[in-house]
Amino acid sequence: MPLALAVAGANVHDMRLVRSTLNGFALRRPRPKRGARRQHFCADKGYDFFEVRALLRKRGYTLHIPSRGAEPKQKRSRLRHPARRWVVERSHSWTNRFRRLLIRWEKKAANYEAFLHFAFALITLRAAKVFG
């Protein structure tokens, strides 16, 4: 389920939306305590910028962002914790089932964001099997 979102035009780079997305959480994440397990942040090469890394380190995340221009590392044959990319793709698929969101008709970002919140609420209620 989506935890936060930031709406912007298609010509805005993702790295510019990291701060607003992190600020969009409904609940504040508690500060990590000393010796406690740190929370991880996984992203693709599109987030490999000094500003993004500094912001995330300041917020106490352990970063997993591959460097731009670097060749991918040789993967082990059996990963202990394989990547779960399907979770993101599944969420996009669920959102794309709402035709109003698939083709953006709203001119105001606030209206589009309201429809996104409504769709995410319906997706959550369906996942919780509230509707039978």
Side-chain angles (χ1 to χ4, degrees), residues 43-68:
D44 60 10
K45 291 181 182 182
Y47 294 91
D48 183 31
F49 292 93
F50 174 77
E51 298 86 10
V52 174
R53 288 181 180 272
L55 172 69
L56 295 171
R57 280 193 191 104
K58 182 179 176 186
R59 290 183 179 237
Y61 287 101
T62 299
L63 302 180
H64 301 281
I65 303 173
S67 298
R68 289 176 289 153

PDB file of all heavy atoms in Angstrom, residues 43-68:
ATOM      1  N   ALA A  43      16.349   2.444  -3.629  1.00  0.00           N
ATOM      2  CA  ALA A  43      15.949   3.251  -4.781  1.00  0.00           C
ATOM      3  C   ALA A  43      16.808   2.871  -5.974  1.00  0.00           C
ATOM      4  O   ALA A  43      17.813   2.163  -5.837  1.00  0.00           O
ATOM      5  CB  ALA A  43      16.101   4.738  -4.463  1.00  0.00           C
ATOM      6  N   ASP A  44      16.419   3.355  -7.153  1.00  0.00           N
ATOM      7  CA  ASP A  44      17.196   3.055  -8.349  1.00  0.00           C
ATOM      8  C   ASP A  44      18.203   4.167  -8.624  1.00  0.00           C
ATOM      9  O   ASP A  44      18.348   5.101  -7.843  1.00  0.00           O
ATOM     10  CB  ASP A  44      16.278   2.800  -9.543  1.00  0.00           C
ATOM     11  CG  ASP A  44      15.392   3.996  -9.860  1.00  0.00           C
ATOM     12  OD1 ASP A  44      15.613   5.080  -9.294  1.00  0.00           O
ATOM     13  OD2 ASP A  44      14.483   3.842 -10.681  1.00  0.00           O
ATOM     14  N   LYS A  45      18.896   4.057  -9.756  1.00  0.00           N
ATOM     15  CA  LYS A  45      19.965   5.007 -10.079  1.00  0.00           C
ATOM     16  C   LYS A  45      19.463   6.432 -10.276  1.00  0.00           C
ATOM     17  O   LYS A  45      20.239   7.370 -10.222  1.00  0.00           O
ATOM     18  CB  LYS A  45      20.696   4.561 -11.348  1.00  0.00           C
ATOM     19  CG  LYS A  45      21.502   3.305 -11.170  1.00  0.00           C
ATOM     20  CD  LYS A  45      22.203   2.944 -12.458  1.00  0.00           C
ATOM     21  CE  LYS A  45      22.984   1.657 -12.303  1.00  0.00           C
ATOM     22  NZ  LYS A  45      23.703   1.315 -13.532  1.00  0.00           N
ATOM     23  N   GLY A  46      18.180   6.605 -10.491  1.00  0.00           N
ATOM     24  CA  GLY A  46      17.618   7.928 -10.669  1.00  0.00           C
ATOM     25  C   GLY A  46      17.684   8.786  -9.410  1.00  0.00           C
ATOM     26  O   GLY A  46      17.493   9.996  -9.465  1.00  0.00           O
ATOM     27  N   TYR A  47      17.966   8.179  -8.280  1.00  0.00           N
ATOM     28  CA  TYR A  47      18.059   8.896  -7.010  1.00  0.00           C
ATOM     29  C   TYR A  47      19.499   9.058  -6.539  1.00  0.00           C
ATOM     30  O   TYR A  47      19.733   9.437  -5.402  1.00  0.00           O
ATOM     31  CB  TYR A  47      17.237   8.171  -5.936  1.00  0.00           C
ATOM     32  CG  TYR A  47      15.768   8.188  -6.234  1.00  0.00           C
ATOM     33  CD1 TYR A  47      15.166   7.165  -6.964  1.00  0.00           C
ATOM     34  CD2 TYR A  47      14.968   9.236  -5.804  1.00  0.00           C
ATOM     35  CE1 TYR A  47      13.824   7.185  -7.250  1.00  0.00           C
ATOM     36  CE2 TYR A  47      13.615   9.263  -6.086  1.00  0.00           C
ATOM     37  CZ  TYR A  47      13.056   8.239  -6.804  1.00  0.00           C
ATOM     38  OH  TYR A  47      11.719   8.268  -7.095  1.00  0.00           O
ATOM     39  N   ASP A  48      20.457   8.753  -7.392  1.00  0.00           N
ATOM     40  CA  ASP A  48      21.869   8.847  -7.016  1.00  0.00           C
ATOM     41  C   ASP A  48      22.365  10.283  -7.180  1.00  0.00           C
ATOM     42  O   ASP A  48      23.042  10.627  -8.144  1.00  0.00           O
ATOM     43  CB  ASP A  48      22.714   7.888  -7.869  1.00  0.00           C
ATOM     44  CG  ASP A  48      24.169   7.907  -7.461  1.00  0.00           C
ATOM     45  OD1 ASP A  48      24.445   8.139  -6.276  1.00  0.00           O
ATOM     46  OD2 ASP A  48      25.028   7.691  -8.330  1.00  0.00           O
ATOM     47  N   PHE A  49      22.012  11.128  -6.228  1.00  0.00           N
ATOM     48  CA  PHE A  49      22.446  12.517  -6.186  1.00  0.00           C
ATOM     49  C   PHE A  49      22.891  12.838  -4.769  1.00  0.00           C
ATOM     50  O   PHE A  49      22.362  12.290  -3.799  1.00  0.00           O
ATOM     51  CB  PHE A  49      21.306  13.467  -6.598  1.00  0.00           C
ATOM     52  CG  PHE A  49      20.930  13.356  -8.034  1.00  0.00           C
ATOM     53  CD1 PHE A  49      19.913  12.501  -8.451  1.00  0.00           C
ATOM     54  CD2 PHE A  49      21.607  14.092  -8.992  1.00  0.00           C
ATOM     55  CE1 PHE A  49      19.573  12.398  -9.775  1.00  0.00           C
ATOM     56  CE2 PHE A  49      21.266  13.990 -10.330  1.00  0.00           C
ATOM     57  CZ  PHE A  49      20.248  13.140 -10.720  1.00  0.00           C
ATOM     58  N   PHE A  50      23.843  13.726  -4.648  1.00  0.00           N
ATOM     59  CA  PHE A  50      24.375  14.084  -3.342  1.00  0.00           C
ATOM     60  C   PHE A  50      23.269  14.610  -2.426  1.00  0.00           C
ATOM     61  O   PHE A  50      23.212  14.261  -1.243  1.00  0.00           O
ATOM     62  CB  PHE A  50      25.495  15.130  -3.479  1.00  0.00           C
ATOM     63  CG  PHE A  50      25.987  15.634  -2.165  1.00  0.00           C
ATOM     64  CD1 PHE A  50      26.834  14.861  -1.388  1.00  0.00           C
ATOM     65  CD2 PHE A  50      25.576  16.868  -1.680  1.00  0.00           C
ATOM     66  CE1 PHE A  50      27.280  15.311  -0.154  1.00  0.00           C
ATOM     67  CE2 PHE A  50      26.015  17.324  -0.460  1.00  0.00           C
ATOM     68  CZ  PHE A  50      26.872  16.549   0.306  1.00  0.00           C
ATOM     69  N   GLU A  51      22.384  15.459  -2.959  1.00  0.00           N
ATOM     70  CA  GLU A  51      21.327  16.058  -2.136  1.00  0.00           C
ATOM     71  C   GLU A  51      20.395  14.992  -1.566  1.00  0.00           C
ATOM     72  O   GLU A  51      19.991  15.067  -0.404  1.00  0.00           O
ATOM     73  CB  GLU A  51      20.506  17.061  -2.955  1.00  0.00           C
ATOM     74  CG  GLU A  51      21.285  18.229  -3.488  1.00  0.00           C
ATOM     75  CD  GLU A  51      21.953  17.938  -4.826  1.00  0.00           C
ATOM     76  OE1 GLU A  51      21.668  16.883  -5.440  1.00  0.00           O
ATOM     77  OE2 GLU A  51      22.779  18.747  -5.249  1.00  0.00           O
ATOM     78  N   VAL A  52      20.048  14.014  -2.391  1.00  0.00           N
ATOM     79  CA  VAL A  52      19.152  12.945  -1.944  1.00  0.00           C
ATOM     80  C   VAL A  52      19.840  12.099  -0.879  1.00  0.00           C
ATOM     81  O   VAL A  52      19.260  11.797   0.173  1.00  0.00           O
ATOM     82  CB  VAL A  52      18.711  12.075  -3.138  1.00  0.00           C
ATOM     83  CG1 VAL A  52      17.903  10.884  -2.672  1.00  0.00           C
ATOM     84  CG2 VAL A  52      17.931  12.904  -4.141  1.00  0.00           C
ATOM     85  N   ARG A  53      21.092  11.722  -1.140  1.00  0.00           N
ATOM     86  CA  ARG A  53      21.823  10.911  -0.164  1.00  0.00           C
ATOM     87  C   ARG A  53      21.983  11.643   1.164  1.00  0.00           C
ATOM     88  O   ARG A  53      21.818  11.049   2.227  1.00  0.00           O
ATOM     89  CB  ARG A  53      23.186  10.513  -0.730  1.00  0.00           C
ATOM     90  CG  ARG A  53      23.090   9.473  -1.830  1.00  0.00           C
ATOM     91  CD  ARG A  53      24.478   9.093  -2.337  1.00  0.00           C
ATOM     92  NE  ARG A  53      24.403   8.103  -3.376  1.00  0.00           N
ATOM     93  CZ  ARG A  53      24.381   6.788  -3.174  1.00  0.00           C
ATOM     94  NH1 ARG A  53      24.420   6.322  -1.953  1.00  0.00           N
ATOM     95  NH2 ARG A  53      24.312   5.966  -4.192  1.00  0.00           N
ATOM     96  N   ALA A  54      22.304  12.942   1.115  1.00  0.00           N
ATOM     97  CA  ALA A  54      22.471  13.718   2.352  1.00  0.00           C
ATOM     98  C   ALA A  54      21.164  13.798   3.130  1.00  0.00           C
ATOM     99  O   ALA A  54      21.140  13.643   4.358  1.00  0.00           O
ATOM    100  CB  ALA A  54      22.989  15.116   2.023  1.00  0.00           C
ATOM    101  N   LEU A  55      20.053  14.031   2.424  1.00  0.00           N
ATOM    102  CA  LEU A  55      18.748  14.119   3.076  1.00  0.00           C
ATOM    103  C   LEU A  55      18.389  12.809   3.762  1.00  0.00           C
ATOM    104  O   LEU A  55      17.939  12.794   4.910  1.00  0.00           O
ATOM    105  CB  LEU A  55      17.676  14.483   2.046  1.00  0.00           C
ATOM    106  CG  LEU A  55      16.231  14.430   2.532  1.00  0.00           C
ATOM    107  CD1 LEU A  55      15.957  15.538   3.533  1.00  0.00           C
ATOM    108  CD2 LEU A  55      15.281  14.516   1.359  1.00  0.00           C
ATOM    109  N   LEU A  56      18.599  11.701   3.062  1.00  0.00           N
ATOM    110  CA  LEU A  56      18.231  10.397   3.616  1.00  0.00           C
ATOM    111  C   LEU A  56      19.137   9.994   4.779  1.00  0.00           C
ATOM    112  O   LEU A  56      18.674   9.404   5.754  1.00  0.00           O
ATOM    113  CB  LEU A  56      18.246   9.344   2.515  1.00  0.00           C
ATOM    114  CG  LEU A  56      17.193   9.564   1.425  1.00  0.00           C
ATOM    115  CD1 LEU A  56      17.422   8.611   0.274  1.00  0.00           C
ATOM    116  CD2 LEU A  56      15.803   9.410   1.995  1.00  0.00           C
ATOM    117  N   ARG A  57      20.430  10.316   4.678  1.00  0.00           N
ATOM    118  CA  ARG A  57      21.330  10.025   5.802  1.00  0.00           C
ATOM    119  C   ARG A  57      20.943  10.840   7.031  1.00  0.00           C
ATOM    120  O   ARG A  57      20.991  10.359   8.149  1.00  0.00           O
ATOM    121  CB  ARG A  57      22.772  10.306   5.413  1.00  0.00           C
ATOM    122  CG  ARG A  57      23.379   9.200   4.599  1.00  0.00           C
ATOM    123  CD  ARG A  57      24.894   9.342   4.493  1.00  0.00           C
ATOM    124  NE  ARG A  57      25.381   8.429   3.496  1.00  0.00           N
ATOM    125  CZ  ARG A  57      25.760   8.776   2.272  1.00  0.00           C
ATOM    126  NH1 ARG A  57      25.716  10.045   1.906  1.00  0.00           N
ATOM    127  NH2 ARG A  57      26.180   7.878   1.421  1.00  0.00           N
ATOM    128  N   LYS A  58      20.564  12.096   6.794  1.00  0.00           N
ATOM    129  CA  LYS A  58      20.150  12.972   7.901  1.00  0.00           C
ATOM    130  C   LYS A  58      18.909  12.411   8.595  1.00  0.00           C
ATOM    131  O   LYS A  58      18.757  12.546   9.803  1.00  0.00           O
ATOM    132  CB  LYS A  58      19.858  14.370   7.357  1.00  0.00           C
ATOM    133  CG  LYS A  58      19.477  15.365   8.403  1.00  0.00           C
ATOM    134  CD  LYS A  58      19.238  16.725   7.770  1.00  0.00           C
ATOM    135  CE  LYS A  58      18.748  17.716   8.819  1.00  0.00           C
ATOM    136  NZ  LYS A  58      18.382  19.000   8.205  1.00  0.00           N
ATOM    137  N   ARG A  59      18.048  11.755   7.843  1.00  0.00           N
ATOM    138  CA  ARG A  59      16.835  11.169   8.413  1.00  0.00           C
ATOM    139  C   ARG A  59      17.080   9.786   9.000  1.00  0.00           C
ATOM    140  O   ARG A  59      16.151   9.159   9.504  1.00  0.00           O
ATOM    141  CB  ARG A  59      15.742  11.102   7.361  1.00  0.00           C
ATOM    142  CG  ARG A  59      15.224  12.481   7.011  1.00  0.00           C
ATOM    143  CD  ARG A  59      14.095  12.384   6.038  1.00  0.00           C
ATOM    144  NE  ARG A  59      13.586  13.693   5.716  1.00  0.00           N
ATOM    145  CZ  ARG A  59      12.319  14.056   5.879  1.00  0.00           C
ATOM    146  NH1 ARG A  59      11.457  13.194   6.357  1.00  0.00           N
ATOM    147  NH2 ARG A  59      11.941  15.265   5.557  1.00  0.00           N
ATOM    148  N   GLY A  60      18.304   9.279   8.911  1.00  0.00           N
ATOM    149  CA  GLY A  60      18.656   8.030   9.583  1.00  0.00           C
ATOM    150  C   GLY A  60      18.407   6.767   8.795  1.00  0.00           C
ATOM    151  O   GLY A  60      18.268   5.692   9.378  1.00  0.00           O
ATOM    152  N   TYR A  61      18.368   6.837   7.488  1.00  0.00           N
ATOM    153  CA  TYR A  61      18.150   5.658   6.662  1.00  0.00           C
ATOM    154  C   TYR A  61      19.483   5.016   6.288  1.00  0.00           C
ATOM    155  O   TYR A  61      20.486   5.691   6.133  1.00  0.00           O
ATOM    156  CB  TYR A  61      17.432   6.030   5.360  1.00  0.00           C
ATOM    157  CG  TYR A  61      15.971   6.360   5.531  1.00  0.00           C
ATOM    158  CD1 TYR A  61      15.541   7.677   5.559  1.00  0.00           C
ATOM    159  CD2 TYR A  61      15.029   5.358   5.647  1.00  0.00           C
ATOM    160  CE1 TYR A  61      14.198   7.995   5.702  1.00  0.00           C
ATOM    161  CE2 TYR A  61      13.689   5.657   5.786  1.00  0.00           C
ATOM    162  CZ  TYR A  61      13.280   6.973   5.815  1.00  0.00           C
ATOM    163  OH  TYR A  61      11.959   7.279   5.952  1.00  0.00           O
ATOM    164  N   THR A  62      19.458   3.700   6.111  1.00  0.00           N
ATOM    165  CA  THR A  62      20.557   2.975   5.494  1.00  0.00           C
ATOM    166  C   THR A  62      20.250   2.938   4.001  1.00  0.00           C
ATOM    167  O   THR A  62      19.202   2.441   3.601  1.00  0.00           O
ATOM    168  CB  THR A  62      20.659   1.546   6.047  1.00  0.00           C
ATOM    169  OG1 THR A  62      20.892   1.616   7.448  1.00  0.00           O
ATOM    170  CG2 THR A  62      21.775   0.772   5.384  1.00  0.00           C
ATOM    171  N   LEU A  63      21.155   3.467   3.181  1.00  0.00           N
ATOM    172  CA  LEU A  63      20.877   3.651   1.756  1.00  0.00           C
ATOM    173  C   LEU A  63      21.273   2.436   0.921  1.00  0.00           C
ATOM    174  O   LEU A  63      22.318   1.831   1.140  1.00  0.00           O
ATOM    175  CB  LEU A  63      21.624   4.878   1.244  1.00  0.00           C
ATOM    176  CG  LEU A  63      21.315   6.184   1.956  1.00  0.00           C
ATOM    177  CD1 LEU A  63      22.120   7.314   1.353  1.00  0.00           C
ATOM    178  CD2 LEU A  63      19.850   6.494   1.911  1.00  0.00           C
ATOM    179  N   HIS A  64      20.434   2.137  -0.042  1.00  0.00           N
ATOM    180  CA  HIS A  64      20.709   1.109  -1.044  1.00  0.00           C
ATOM    181  C   HIS A  64      20.383   1.724  -2.392  1.00  0.00           C
ATOM    182  O   HIS A  64      19.323   1.485  -2.972  1.00  0.00           O
ATOM    183  CB  HIS A  64      19.867  -0.142  -0.806  1.00  0.00           C
ATOM    184  CG  HIS A  64      20.098  -0.765   0.528  1.00  0.00           C
ATOM    185  ND1 HIS A  64      21.185  -1.560   0.792  1.00  0.00           N
ATOM    186  CD2 HIS A  64      19.400  -0.679   1.684  1.00  0.00           C
ATOM    187  CE1 HIS A  64      21.134  -1.959   2.052  1.00  0.00           C
ATOM    188  NE2 HIS A  64      20.059  -1.441   2.610  1.00  0.00           N
ATOM    189  N   ILE A  65      21.286   2.576  -2.881  1.00  0.00           N
ATOM    190  CA  ILE A  65      21.103   3.275  -4.149  1.00  0.00           C
ATOM    191  C   ILE A  65      22.331   2.987  -5.007  1.00  0.00           C
ATOM    192  O   ILE A  65      23.443   3.378  -4.646  1.00  0.00           O
ATOM    193  CB  ILE A  65      20.957   4.794  -3.935  1.00  0.00           C
ATOM    194  CG1 ILE A  65      19.787   5.097  -2.989  1.00  0.00           C
ATOM    195  CG2 ILE A  65      20.764   5.493  -5.269  1.00  0.00           C
ATOM    196  CD1 ILE A  65      19.680   6.556  -2.605  1.00  0.00           C
ATOM    197  N   PRO A  66      22.163   2.306  -6.140  1.00  0.00           N
ATOM    198  CA  PRO A  66      23.324   2.046  -6.993  1.00  0.00           C
ATOM    199  C   PRO A  66      23.840   3.338  -7.615  1.00  0.00           C
ATOM    200  O   PRO A  66      23.087   4.286  -7.832  1.00  0.00           O
ATOM    201  CB  PRO A  66      22.793   1.096  -8.064  1.00  0.00           C
ATOM    202  CG  PRO A  66      21.323   1.231  -8.013  1.00  0.00           C
ATOM    203  CD  PRO A  66      20.946   1.720  -6.661  1.00  0.00           C
ATOM    204  N   SER A  67      25.131   3.388  -7.882  1.00  0.00           N
ATOM    205  CA  SER A  67      25.751   4.582  -8.465  1.00  0.00           C
ATOM    206  C   SER A  67      25.464   4.658  -9.958  1.00  0.00           C
ATOM    207  O   SER A  67      25.463   3.643 -10.658  1.00  0.00           O
ATOM    208  CB  SER A  67      27.259   4.551  -8.252  1.00  0.00           C
ATOM    209  OG  SER A  67      27.541   4.561  -6.888  1.00  0.00           O
ATOM    210  N   ARG A  68      25.244   5.875 -10.442  1.00  0.00           N
ATOM    211  CA  ARG A  68      25.037   6.076 -11.876  1.00  0.00           C
ATOM    212  C   ARG A  68      26.347   5.833 -12.611  1.00  0.00           C
ATOM    213  O   ARG A  68      27.410   6.206 -12.149  1.00  0.00           O
ATOM    214  CB  ARG A  68      24.574   7.503 -12.158  1.00  0.00           C
ATOM    215  CG  ARG A  68      23.161   7.769 -11.705  1.00  0.00           C
ATOM    216  CD  ARG A  68      22.780   9.196 -11.921  1.00  0.00           C
ATOM    217  NE  ARG A  68      23.536  10.002 -10.950  1.00  0.00           N
ATOM    218  CZ  ARG A  68      23.876  11.266 -11.131  1.00  0.00           C
ATOM    219  NH1 ARG A  68      23.560  11.874 -12.234  1.00  0.00           N
ATOM    220  NH2 ARG A  68      24.539  11.919 -10.203  1.00  0.00           N
TER     221      ARG A  68
END
